Each structure stands twice: as structure tokens, then as C-alpha cells.
Amino acid sequence: MKKLLGIGFWELIARIILRNRIVILIGILLVTVLFATQWKYIKFTQTEANLIPADDKVNIDYQKFLNHFGEEGNLIVIATKDKKIFTPKVYKAWSELMNNIKSNKEVSLIISIDNLQKIVKNDSLETFELKPLVDNNKVQDEFYLKQIQIELFTKLPFYEGFLFNKKSGAIRSAIYLDKKIVNTKKRKDYVLNSLIPAIDKFKKDSGIELHTSGMPYIRTLNAKTIIDEIGLFIGAALLITSLIFFYFFRSFRATLISLIVVIIGVVWSFGIISVLGYDINVLTALVPTLVIVIGIPNCIFFINKYHQEYHKHANKAKALQRVITKTGTATLLTNITTAVGFATFIATNNLLLREFGIVTTINILAIYFLSLLLIPIFFSYIPSPIPRHLGHLNRESLTSFLNWIINTVKYNRFGVYITSICLLIFGIIGIYKIKVSGSIIEDMPKHTDFFEDIRFFEKEFDGVMPLEIMIDTKNKNGAMKLSNLRRMEELEQTINDIPELSKPLSIVNVAKSFNQAYYNGNPEFYSLPTPQEEIFLLPYIKNSLKNSKDNQMKSYVTSDGSVARMTTFIKDENGEKMETIEAHIRNKVNKIFPSPRYEVIITGKASVFQKGTKYLLDNLLSSLLFAFFLTGGLVIIMFRSFKMVLVSIIPNLLPLLMTAGLMGFLGIPLKPSTLLVFGIAFGMSVDDTLRFLAQYRLELSRNDWRIKKSVFATFEDAGISMFYTSIILFFGFSVFMLSSFGGTIALGGLVALTLFFGMLSNLVLLPSLVLTLNKTLANQQELPEPTIDFLEHTDEDIDELEMKNK
């Protein structure tokens, strides 16, 4: 390791870079052009994030459901509470809207008041048939439409809770998309280019307010918002980081060079995503912005080191060479630790996180090498720094801040430890207040029309997030047996008693409608038949299933009649109760559908997402421990001291606990977005730790292993860069708070806050620990003899090697 990363290695790298500038620039240009050509192949995800591995039982059960009944998330609903819907003019416009929607090949079925079917009995064929509820020849008569409204609300209980709310008068239409396009680009194109324009035209022409929702609609507008925000994040990150950069260095040239480096990094990031064949999703959409936020601190570190060296001897060539030779290993290791923070996601058994981990890890290392190559080359072509550019090294406000930290570490370490213990207690108490959220829509943009529409449907129709129950009777036509129908009715009653769930839809509702139709539509007979009635009724039902391809019963029972489906909807705000609700349903299921005679699966998107959040929590906690071990391994390699591992981990663990505590006290739940905070923040915060310790090792060799003098000398060299990079990272991650997504806002704000705590911890607590444990850490058996160090090198070491090379 010493030979690989020793002074000779980095002196060789410096020579190669500075002597082959044109070749390197041409190479980087060609690679950039190559990646830019890959942009046209970038794809945007058309599916929801699945947080559970494909081989997990939850996913296996969900896939089993899809195999029987197909994609569940193909329903779009359009609703209104305006009573004018039953006036001739508005009804005509509504009918035209539905016909317009139905004419699209992407739509497989529409159930609406204008084409509503009611079940009637055909005694001659011993079957049930569907007849239109509305006679289109009479729709110009307002009195007729009022009669239709009365009949719908009083005589068709099958549709109550599905197409109308009897209490509020809300009416809705159900639009079923072709299941083959639900997870394709065709769904997005249809919703954006056909459905929304048609709805907007109706609203403009009729003056009626409509509400639209359903999983295909929500997913489409959600994805569109993600795409729109990519440009916002990139632009805001470039603007904020460049302004802060210029404020620090007061140099347009240095600012422009840094922007060029990170813009090339952004081009590479999109190209890498495309080359790897990954889709742009809610996580990978953040990568280009992360490249900017992480790339600018790299530029700051190299440029600040260049200014420090030039300030010493005013030799431009020598300063550029020493930027590489004196900081090569330290900057490499700090970028590796940042990459490790993201690489922990690769260890999770989740495709979405694994892709995010791979892409970010590659791009972090790529932006490091771009900075290492381009910063010395660009500065070699521009004039030497002028005194104004070097003024930041002695800025009064900055030196006052560092002097306050030095005095605190020197004279008040006891106060530092007391404060740290108090913050630790604060964090631990807050952790016990954290709740876990399994809400699908919690992170969606709250100030959008489609989010308000979700709330409308939750109020009027008890939600749009499906919860599915699949009952396998393991016998042909077993789902049609009256005994099993009564079991399902008992289960439905249990579901009706749960206030968070909507009225369920199943074969039971259809069977009740058949019984009602058998008695000529009398709503008093909307119930399951008696055993005596079953003898006469069952042949009608079986013939109906056999003869009608479009019969909606087939949505709730398989073709052989062995497997039944029961669908209910859950208010997403109650997603945190999903586990309790499922347990309640499962207890009832176990009593009325005993295993192994029956197999009952409780699934659906809402259920899968909630279980995915819990799975993600378990995996990310283990990944964070993995990151601790990896970082500890790097520190052992660097210092060959287990005690130094403890010194390096504590200052980075405390900010994580403080952030977790704040989440608990502020009521911010653990969810997929906030769970990512800890791995990302740890990987980036530990950079400052390694930079401080690397510089500390150098100062030890310079100062004859005198601990106190070395610690305070470390502040003079590394303190400024640590402060600059931390401020950039703080404001850089704060850019994500411009998002309309609650999850992205939480991710940006919490990471920024954690990194700010991390900066203070590394500047105050870390040196305090080093000084307190100085006797142990200065043990000559644990530290190499004061020769050339492989992390940093003294000026005398480099001068000696340079003379030898000459």
C-alpha cells in the first residue's frame, strides 16, 4: 500500500498529467461526446418502485395474483359532485367525453352512467343479460334523466360506492386501460396527449369541475413531475454552488473551470445511466445533481491546495505538481468513502436501490478523476493567481471561526464532551418517537391538482389505492358454491367494519345482483340466495359466465370458477395502519377459510408498498453497518490502529443520531426517501474525518510527533477546505428542497442538516478525541517511524524526490 500510494506514485501521476495535457483533454472530449450520443437512448421508468426482491414471498404472492387476474393498476376514475350532470346539455357533453375516451385503442372498457348496464333475467335461455340503463333516445328530457338518477341511487345497490356516493351525490366513471400498456410508454402518451386534453375540453365547455385519479393517472403525472424537476435541480445546483464558490475564491476563472468540470460530469452521468441500460426513476433522476454537489467540493479542495502552495513559493509549476503529489492519496480515499456511502445500496437485495448505488458509485469516482485531471491542466494554461484570489486564505471571518474552534478544542474539551453526550441523549430519545410510513402518495407533490383529486376520492369513495384478496377454493367452480359465497360475504362484513377500507367488490356483489335480477330488479332481494333459491339461480349464473366474454363477473373470478377476487380500497393516509388492518383481515380469513383447504392471499399495490418500506428499513440498517465496517477498514489500512477507528466513527455517528432524533421530535417518518439519508450522509461526512486525520498524520511527521502542535497545525491546512466543502455540500443538498416531492425535500433537507452537524463534529469533537487519547495514539508501536508517509508528504520529502528525478 505504501509503495502503491507513496510519493513516487503520485509524483509519476503528476508528471503524466502535466506532460500530456493535450492528449488527456482530447481523450476527455471524445469520451464526453460518446456519452452525449447515448442521451437519445435514455428511458424513463413506466413502473412503480418495487422495494421487495422478486424471490420474496410478498412478490411471489403478488405475481400469483397478476397471473390470475392481470394488472390491477389499470383503472382511471373521473368524478363530479355537480348535480347538473343529469341535465340534458351536461349529460350530452359527458356522454361525448366518455365516447371520445372509449374510441381510443388504449381503453378496453368504460363503465359510466351513459353506458351503464343492468342485469335482467332471460327465462327462455336460462341466463342473465345486460341491458342499457339509459335510453339514448330520451336523454333530451330532463325529467327522464332525473328518473334515471333516482333509479341509479335506489335500485342499483351493486354500483353504490363504486359509481356513486348516495350521501353526497358524487358520480364517477370507471375507465379500464388495456392491461398490456399499463407499464409502457403508451400509457403515458395516452394520459398526457389524449385523456387530459379531452377532460380539459369538457371542463371548459360545460363549466363542470371534474376530478381524475387512479394509479395509471397518478403514475403518469408523478413521472412527468420527476422529469420536469431534473432540469430544475441541475440549474439550481449549478447556480448556488457557483455563487458560493465565487464568494470563497473571488475568481471568475476558477469558478468557470469548476463549472466546466461538473458539467462534463453531468454529461457523463446521463451517458453512464444510458450505457448501463437503466431507466430514469425517482432515485437515478438525482444522480446528475449529486455529481454537481459532490464535484464542486473536489474542485474546492484541489484549488484551495493550489492557492496554498502558490502562496508559499509563488512557483506555479511547482504548486500544480504538489496539488497532486501532496493530496493524491487523501483525496482518493475521501472520494472512495463517499462512494462507499452510496455503494452500500448495492448490497441491498433490491433492484431500484442497487441501480442507484451502482450509478452513483461510478459517477463519484468519475467526477473525482475528472477533477484530478482537469483542475491542474486548466490552471496550467491560465495566468498565476493574483493577491485578490489568495485573499480567502486569510479572510478575517473565516480565521475568527477557526480560532474559536481551536480555542474550544484547546481549553474546553470537557464542555465538548458534555454537549456531545446531551446531543446523544437527545437523539436516542427522538429515535423512539420515529414512526414508519408505508404511504404510496405521502411523498407526492401536495400542491398539485392530481394530489387534491386523490384526497377527493378518498373522501367520496374511500380511496384509490387497491387492496386485493385472492381466494383459491382449489375446486372447479368452487368460488360459485353458495357455502363459499357466504364465507366471502362474512369476510366482506369484516372489511365493511374497518373504517379505513371501502366497500369491497367481489363475486358476492355480482351474485347478489343476480338474485335481485331474478326477482325482476327488486332491490329488497339484493342478497345471496337461499339454498332453495340456489337451485333455480345457479344455472343462470353459470350460463352467464360461459356465454359472455365482456361480463364484468370475469374480473372477479377465474374462467374455471376456482379462484375468486375481492377488491377494496384504502385511504392512503392510513397506510401506517396497513399492518394492523391486514392482521385483522388475516385472523378472520384463518377462521372462515382454513388452510390447506383454501389458500387466501392478501396483496395489492398498497400492501406491497407498505411491506417494501419495512423491508427497506431492515436492509438499509444492515447496509449502514456495512458502511461502518468498510470505513473502519480504510482507517485501519491508513493508520494501523483500531483505536483510531473509534476516533473516526464517533464524530460521524453522532450527527446521524441527532438527525434521527430530530425526525422523531418533528414527526418526520421513516420512509424510502428518508431512509436513504443516513447512508448518503455518513459516506460524505466521513470525508472530512479522513481529510483531517490525513493532514494530522502529515503534521505529526513535521512536528516530531508532538500531538497538540500537530492537531492545531492541521486546522491551518485542512480546516479551510473542510469548511468550504461542508458549506457547499450543505447548500448543494438544500437544492433538493425546491422539489415538489415530499420525499425529495426530506432527503435534501435532512442530508444537508446531517452534513452541517458532521462538519461541526469533525472540527470540534474529532480533534478533542485525538487530544484526549494522545498518549495512546502517539505510541510509536502503532505509528511508523517519521519517514515519508504514504498519505501526505512533507515539502522536504517532495523536494528531495524532485531533485532525484532531475
Side-chain angles (χ1 to χ4, degrees):
M1 183 72 173
K2 291 174 66 174
K3 291 183 179 180
L4 178 61
L5 299 179
I7 183 173
F9 171 79
W10 290 109
E11 202 277 339
L12 174 64
I13 294 297
R15 276 205 317 273
I16 292 174
I17 293 173
L18 295 175
R19 292 181 181 180
N20 298 277
R21 296 175 295 176
I22 300 298
V23 174
I24 293 173
L25 289 176
I26 292 175
I28 291 175
L29 178 62
L30 291 176
V31 174
T32 304
V33 171
L34 177 64
F35 278 137
T37 60
Q38 299 299 310
W39 282 30
K40 59 184 177 182
Y41 301 112
I42 291 177
K43 297 177 294 182
F44 295 91
T45 185
Q46 306 297 334
T47 60
E48 297 108 336
N50 191 336
L51 304 176
I52 303 176
D55 58 353
D56 190 272
K57 186 179 184 302
V58 173
N59 261 340
I60 293 173
D61 287 346
Y62 184 60
Q63 191 58 48
K64 190 181 295 185
F65 168 83
L66 295 180
N67 292 339
H68 281 297
F69 296 103
E71 174 61 47
E72 57 158 342
N74 67 327
L75 173 64
I76 296 177
V77 286
I78 303 175
T80 182
K81 289 182 68 175
D82 200 315
K83 296 180 180 180
K84 294 179 183 177
I85 193 72
F86 288 101
T87 59
K89 181 181 178 181
V90 177
Y91 178 85
K92 181 182 178 181
W94 178 268
S95 181
E96 289 175 351
L97 171 63
M98 293 301 116
N99 288 330
N100 181 13
I101 293 173
K102 189 176 181 180
S103 65
N104 291 276
K105 61 182 180 180
E106 293 85 359
V107 177
S108 63
L109 174 68
I110 288 184
I111 302 177
S112 179
I113 55 173
D114 64 298
N115 70 351
L116 201 59
Q117 306 287 308
K118 59 181 179 180
I119 303 174
V120 296
K121 181 176 62 172
N122 187 328
D123 287 326
S124 61
L125 298 177
E126 287 195 339
T127 187
F128 291 112
E129 297 176 342
L130 294 176
K131 297 295 182 182
L133 172 68
V134 179
D135 184 350
N136 289 325
N137 296 321
K138 300 180 180 180
V139 294
Q140 295 300 320
D141 185 348
E142 186 169 347
F143 177 75
Y144 172 75
L145 291 177
K146 294 297 182 183
Q147 292 300 113
I148 292 297
Q149 181 183 16
I150 293 172
E151 182 179 357
L152 176 64
F153 279 44
T154 60
K155 295 184 179 181
L156 296 175
F158 174 83
Y159 295 109
E160 184 177 356
F162 178 58
L163 288 187
F164 66 87
N165 183 327
K166 195 172 183 178
K167 293 181 180 179
S168 68
I171 294 288
R172 74 176 179 181
S173 294
I175 303 166
Y176 292 89
L177 299 186
D178 183 352
K179 293 180 179 180
K180 295 179 182 177
I181 73 157
V182 170
N183 294 320
T184 68
K185 185 175 179 292
K186 291 181 180 179
R187 181 211 73 224
K188 181 199 75 171
D189 293 339
Y190 167 70
V191 171
L192 294 179
N193 302 328
S194 298
L195 180 65
I196 292 179
I199 293 173
D200 290 341
K201 183 178 184 301
F202 171 86
K203 291 160 68 173
K204 181 179 179 181
D205 294 343
S206 66
I208 301 295
E209 182 65 28
L210 295 184
H211 302 274
T212 309
S213 194
M215 292 306 296
Y217 183 81
I218 294 171
R219 288 164 57 187
T220 299
L221 295 189
N222 205 40
K224 182 178 182 298
T225 306
I226 292 173
I227 296 170
D228 293 342
E229 288 189 350
I230 292 177
L232 171 67
F233 291 153
I234 293 175
L238 286 173
L239 177 63
I240 291 177
T241 54
S242 61
L243 288 176
I244 297 174
F245 189 98
F246 179 77
Y247 174 77
F248 285 157
F249 290 97
R250 308 294 170 90
S251 170
F252 285 107
R253 287 190 299 241
T255 305
L256 181 61
I257 289 172
S258 298
L259 287 178
I260 291 173
V261 172
V262 295
I263 288 173
I264 292 174
V266 169
V267 174
W268 282 29
S269 67
F270 280 115
I272 289 170
I273 292 173
S274 179
V275 169
L276 292 174
Y278 296 159
D279 293 346
I280 298 289
N281 55 47
V282 68
L283 288 181
T284 53
L286 305 179
V287 172
T289 309
L290 288 173
V291 167
I292 298 172
V293 174
I294 296 171
I296 289 292
N298 275 332
C299 296
I300 286 178
F301 194 77
F302 285 120
I303 294 173
N304 189 61
K305 179 62 71 174
Y306 169 60
H307 285 174
Q308 287 177 336
E309 289 297 324
Y310 186 83
H311 184 65
K312 290 179 181 178
H313 45 67
N315 187 324
K316 176 181 171 182
K318 189 176 183 179
L320 288 173
Q321 188 175 35
R322 289 190 175 180
V323 167
I324 301 170
T325 55
K326 293 187 67 174
T327 64
T329 300
T331 53
L332 174 61
L333 290 177
T334 53
N335 277 271
I336 287 176
T337 56
T338 301
V340 164
F342 289 93
T344 55
F345 301 134
I346 302 175
T348 62
N349 193 14
N350 175 266
L351 182 62
L352 184 74
L353 288 177
R354 194 182 306 127
E355 289 181 357
F356 178 64
I358 292 172
V359 170
T360 48
T361 300
I362 293 174
N363 278 285
I364 288 169
L365 296 178
I367 194 66
Y368 162 70
F369 286 111
L370 282 173
S371 304
L372 178 67
L373 295 173
L374 293 179
I375 295 296
I377 291 176
F378 283 160
F379 274 93
S380 70
Y381 284 111
I382 65 175
S384 301
I386 59 177
R388 175 169 59 87
H389 299 156
L390 305 178
H392 67 95
L393 297 174
N394 298 305
R395 190 169 296 151
E396 184 177 350
S397 58
L398 181 58
T399 54
S400 298
F401 174 70
L402 291 178
N403 286 335
W404 172 79
I405 290 177
I406 291 173
N407 289 331
T408 301
V409 173
K410 186 180 293 185
Y411 302 114
N412 194 23
R413 289 199 294 278
F414 180 76
V416 170
Y417 297 142
I418 292 297
T419 303
S420 299
I421 292 172
C422 291
L423 292 175
L424 176 64
I425 295 172
F426 168 84
I428 293 174
I429 294 174
I431 287 174
Y432 283 98
K433 298 179 178 291
I434 294 181
K435 296 181 179 179
V436 178
S437 171
S439 169
I440 295 179
I441 69 170
E442 183 175 1
D443 286 342
M444 291 182 182
K446 301 259 187 321
H447 304 293
T448 57
D449 291 339
F450 81 86
F451 189 86
E452 293 299 322
D453 287 346
I454 292 174
R455 293 308 186 199
F456 171 85
F457 283 100
E458 287 185 338
K459 179 181 178 181
E460 298 295 333
F461 297 96
D462 294 322
V464 293
M465 303 302 165
L467 180 66
E468 303 282 357
I469 302 172
M470 189 176 75
I471 303 164
D472 187 354
T473 64
K474 301 184 179 180
N475 290 304
K476 186 176 182 180
N477 292 322
M480 302 299 300
K481 289 183 178 181
L482 184 59
S483 59
N484 287 332
L485 290 175
R486 293 202 180 280
R487 285 187 172 92
M488 284 185 257
E489 184 182 37
E490 187 177 349
L491 179 59
E492 283 193 356
Q493 185 56 51
T494 299
I495 293 174
N496 284 328
D497 292 339
I498 300 175
E500 292 82 11
L501 299 180
S502 69
K503 174 186 173 183
L505 297 172
S506 71
I507 185 65
V508 173
N509 304 82
V510 181
K512 290 179 178 180
S513 294
F514 286 151
N515 194 52
Q516 178 186 357
Y518 190 80
Y519 288 97
N520 301 315
N522 188 338
E524 294 182 2
F525 290 92
Y526 183 73
S527 60
L528 289 177
T530 64
Q532 292 77 15
E533 291 170 330
E534 181 189 14
I535 298 173
F536 302 101
L537 192 62
L538 196 56
Y540 284 78
I541 297 176
K542 289 182 178 179
N543 289 333
S544 299
L545 285 173
K546 186 188 306 180
N547 298 329
S548 179
K549 293 182 180 179
D550 296 328
N551 195 314
Q552 59 191 27
M553 260 184 65
K554 294 197 173 183
S555 298
Y556 300 102
V557 67
T558 54
S559 58
D560 65 353
S562 65
V563 182
R565 168 190 185 182
M566 187 178 294
T567 301
T568 183
F569 296 91
I570 184 170
K571 295 180 180 180
D572 193 76
E573 62 186 0
N574 295 301
E576 63 183 30
K577 298 182 181 179
M578 178 67 74
E579 194 170 349
T580 304
I581 291 171
E582 283 196 32
H584 184 56
I585 295 175
R586 177 59 66 182
N587 288 336
K588 187 66 174 180
V589 164
N590 292 338
K591 293 178 181 178
I592 60 179
F593 295 106
S595 178
R597 182 180 171 188
Y598 299 92
E599 181 185 8
V600 179
I601 292 174
I602 302 175
T603 185
K605 293 188 183 298
S607 174
V608 171
F609 189 86
Q610 193 274 338
K611 291 182 175 70
T613 301
K614 187 175 183 300
Y615 176 87
L616 186 64
L617 174 61
D618 295 338
N619 272 260
L620 287 181
L621 288 176
S622 60
S623 297
L624 192 59
L625 291 175
F626 180 63
F628 286 155
F629 284 117
L630 282 180
T631 303
L634 286 173
V635 174
I636 289 175
I637 293 173
M638 292 165 55
F639 296 94
R640 295 177 297 285
S641 169
F642 286 100
K643 301 176 185 64
M644 189 63 82
V645 173
L646 184 64
V647 170
S648 64
I649 293 296
I650 290 177
N652 293 288
L653 184 59
L654 182 61
L656 299 182
L657 293 174
M658 289 175 60
T659 300
L662 278 175
M663 289 174 61
F665 284 111
L666 297 177
I668 301 173
L670 282 176
K671 49 189 176 181
S673 52
T674 54
L675 284 170
L676 300 176
V677 169
F678 301 99
I680 295 173
F682 176 79
M684 305 190 73
S685 177
V686 80
D687 284 1
D688 282 343
T689 303
L690 292 180
R691 283 175 182 165
F692 186 93
L693 294 178
Q695 186 65 32
Y696 167 67
R697 284 295 302 273
L698 170 61
E699 298 301 335
L700 281 175
S701 61
R702 285 177 173 174
N703 295 287
D704 297 326
W705 312 99
R706 286 177 288 181
I707 302 294
K708 288 186 178 180
K709 186 174 182 179
S710 299
V711 167
F712 298 128
T714 300
F715 280 105
E716 298 178 5
D717 197 297
I720 295 177
S721 292
M722 290 170 63
F723 176 77
Y724 283 173
T725 55
S726 296
I727 293 299
I728 286 286
L729 289 172
F730 175 81
F731 285 101
F733 274 97
S734 298
V735 163
F736 293 125
M737 298 180 70
L738 297 174
S739 174
S740 55
F741 288 91
T744 308
I745 294 172
L747 176 67
L750 291 173
V751 170
L753 191 63
T754 307
L755 291 176
F756 179 76
F757 289 151
M759 176 192 72
L760 295 178
S761 183
N762 280 305
L763 287 176
V764 179
L765 180 58
L766 175 62
S768 297
L769 289 172
V770 172
L771 287 174
T772 300
L773 302 175
N774 57 28
K775 294 181 180 179
T776 303
L777 297 177
N779 191 316
Q780 293 295 324
Q781 294 179 353
E782 292 186 349
L783 292 174
E785 295 182 3
T787 58
I788 297 175
D789 191 88
F790 74 96
L791 289 175
E792 297 274 6
H793 315 295
T794 64
D795 294 344
E796 293 76 11
D797 296 330
I798 298 172
D799 288 338
E800 181 182 352
L801 185 61
E802 288 174 353
M803 291 299 296
K804 290 181 179 179
N805 290 330
K806 291 179 181 180

